[in-house]
Amino acid sequence: MQEELNNFARNEVWVLEEHPKDKNIIGTKWVFRNKQGEHGVVVRNKARLVAKGFAQVEGLDFGETFAPVARLEAICILLAYSSHHKIKLYQMDVKSVFLNGYINELVYVDQPPGFEDPR
């Protein structure tokens, strides 16, 4: 969970503010998964902070949806670029790639449960 929040802080995803009275606040929750090795032994615990999408209304709270995955075109461009410039490519971080996009409207979300800043 802390790694996920560190990605948000590093990429300056949000600013902590008081709850506005006239705006819809989107709740958040943690989703947990255990990543298992080939013998079924847990090798890593994963946590993702997700929006409680059921509280949102299309057209009022959002106009488009996005998925945190890399498009095939983006992978092809990365491979072509690294090949052309003779750059050794070891891995591509898709885990937080969606954090690099910008939203043109204000979105208000609750702080993650268990990580509330009392400020």
Side-chain angles (χ1 to χ4, degrees):
M1 289 186 290
Q2 193 60 53
E3 181 182 345
E4 183 87 350
L5 292 175
N6 289 342
N7 281 339
F8 288 152
R10 186 180 70 235
N11 292 307
E12 299 175 353
V13 172
W14 59 46
V15 175
L16 189 60
E17 293 184 357
E18 293 293 323
H19 279 237
K21 303 290 186 225
D22 59 338
K23 299 290 183 181
N24 186 21
I25 310 291
I26 300 169
T28 58
K29 68 178 182 177
W30 291 106
V31 176
F32 302 101
R33 284 188 81 172
N34 292 328
K35 186 173 181 181
Q36 298 178 346
E38 59 186 62
H39 299 294
V41 178
V42 175
V43 293
R44 182 163 185 213
N45 298 316
K46 298 175 90 176
R48 291 285 175 259
L49 183 65
V50 298
K52 293 181 183 176
F54 58 83
Q56 300 176 23
V57 178
E58 185 175 2
L60 179 63
D61 298 319
F62 67 93
E64 299 177 85
T65 58
F66 301 94
V69 295
R71 293 181 53 152
L72 183 58
E73 293 87 354
I75 295 171
C76 289
I77 291 170
L78 175 68
L79 293 174
Y81 182 85
S82 62
S83 176
H84 182 264
H85 292 285
K86 296 183 170 76
I87 298 171
K88 285 186 181 180
L89 187 63
Y90 294 99
Q91 73 181 52
M92 177 178 158
D93 182 18
V94 179
K95 186 169 153 182
S96 61
V97 70
F98 70 100
L99 296 175
N100 296 324
Y102 292 99
I103 301 176
N104 294 330
E105 63 258 8
L106 283 172
V107 177
Y108 295 94
V109 297
D110 273 333
Q111 294 184 62
F115 289 87
E116 291 90 356
D117 188 342
R119 179 172 91 136

